[in-house]
Amino acid sequence: MRVILIGPPGVGKGTQAKLLVKKYHIPQISTGDMLRANIQQNTALGQHANTFMEAGKLVPDDVILEMIRVRFLEADCKDGYVLDGFPRTIPQAEGLELMLKKIDQKLDAVLVITADNAEIIRRLSSRRSCQECGAVYNLLFSPPHKTDICDHCGGKLYQRDDDKPATIQNRLDVYESQTAPLVEFYYKMDLVRKVNGMGTIDEVSEGIRKALE
Ligand code: AP5
């Protein structure tokens, strides 16, 4: 199964990707997580990417495409993957198509998850992530048992810098201008399956299950 998740920031791509990982035993490839890992390790790539991410802007396409090219070489991608947050621009989608052609692979579906902006702002403002294991919580919808402590590893929870109100609005604008056009791109390839992201996590997951039938 090779699936792309497209949707605005905070719509639940990462949350649903993790459920698909469990169901299909394929890796989640999240460019956001890969970039944040580079920032945490203070690599040159991380330092470069951070200037864009802090402002809610997209990291340049060539950086992202190279990161994906290297990731695809890893053995766990052989039987499929969930692409979460990639591609995000038409040049990235074109780059992905070239890569897939070279390795003779085809996508199975592009899941487009939607939700209204008020809900997205609510979810992002109340998101907390574990700085040790990356687990994601929500203070309103799926809070940790102990305040600011990860249920899984005991790590400290933090709020992402780009989840502050001014940056959220930038990210929503960037989504509309640079990522939303991908829906048309994949629609023409007959790959788009729309999913309503406004329900509970289980309801959205059920929508995805039906979309992949
Ligand atoms: P990235 O990390 O990919 O962020 P994003 O796309 O903005 O998506 P998010 O991770 O914010 O949200 P999500 O949809 O995964 O939602 P989640 O499941 O966490 O990218 C960050 C930055 O990196 C970008 O701005 C850019 O600078 C750079 N970048 C990354 N990829 C790039 C690329 N390809 N090209 C260029 N630049 C790139 O859910 C959100 C919250 O809601 C959580 O708290 C969750 O628990 C909760 N929640 C989820 N579903 C539900 C539900 N159904 N009901 C209630 N709560 C829910």
Side-chain angles (χ1 to χ4, degrees), residues 31-127:
T31 41
D33 286 349
M34 291 162 87
L35 293 167
R36 279 184 290 279
N38 273 277
I39 292 172
Q40 206 174 14
Q41 291 152 19
N42 202 23
T43 65
L45 190 155
Q47 286 175 10
H48 181 55
N50 201 20
T51 55
F52 298 94
M53 291 171 74
E54 271 182 345
K57 294 181 183 164
L58 294 185
V59 174
D61 292 331
D62 56 341
V63 175
I64 299 292
L65 284 166
E66 177 57 13
M67 224 169 58
I68 291 289
R69 188 191 66 77
V70 172
R71 182 66 183 86
F72 273 1
L73 296 174
E74 289 180 39
D76 64 340
C77 295
K78 189 171 56 75
D79 297 325
Y81 34 74
V82 190
L83 294 176
D84 162 16
F86 170 85
R88 248 177 161 97
T89 63
I90 297 285
Q92 288 183 21
E94 290 169 345
L96 173 63
E97 278 307 298
L98 283 177
M99 272 186 238
L100 291 177
K101 252 193 199 129
K102 272 191 197 158
I103 50 178
D104 202 23
Q105 287 186 357
K106 277 200 164 71
L107 296 169
D108 292 296
V110 174
L111 298 166
V112 178
I113 312 179
T114 53
D116 63 42
N117 282 3
E119 176 67 10
I120 282 170
I121 291 167
R122 214 150 60 106
R123 288 183 191 174
L124 286 180
S125 316
S126 49
R127 173 166 59 186

Side-chain angles (χ1 to χ4, degrees), residues 7-18 28 30-33 35-36 49-50 52-61 64-65 67-68 84-89 92 113 119-120 122-129 136-142 160 162-163 167 171 174-175 196-205:
V11 77
K13 301 181 297 297
T15 303
Q16 296 299 329
K18 287 185 178 68
Q28 170 191 13
S30 158
T31 41
D33 286 349
L35 293 167
R36 279 184 290 279
N50 201 20
F52 298 94
M53 291 171 74
E54 271 182 345
K57 294 181 183 164
L58 294 185
V59 174
D61 292 331
I64 299 292
L65 284 166
M67 224 169 58
I68 291 289
D84 162 16
F86 170 85
R88 248 177 161 97
T89 63
Q92 288 183 21
I113 312 179
E119 176 67 10
I120 282 170
R122 214 150 60 106
R123 288 183 191 174
L124 286 180
S125 316
S126 49
R127 173 166 59 186
R128 296 293 181 272
S129 311
V136 174
Y137 297 85
N138 193 284
L139 300 183
L140 300 175
F141 306 106
S142 49
R160 276 170 45 177
D162 60 352
D163 281 349
T167 316
R171 289 163 64 202
V174 165
Y175 177 78
N196 178 5
M198 286 295 287
T200 63
I201 291 172
D202 286 348
E203 284 166 351
V204 179
S205 172

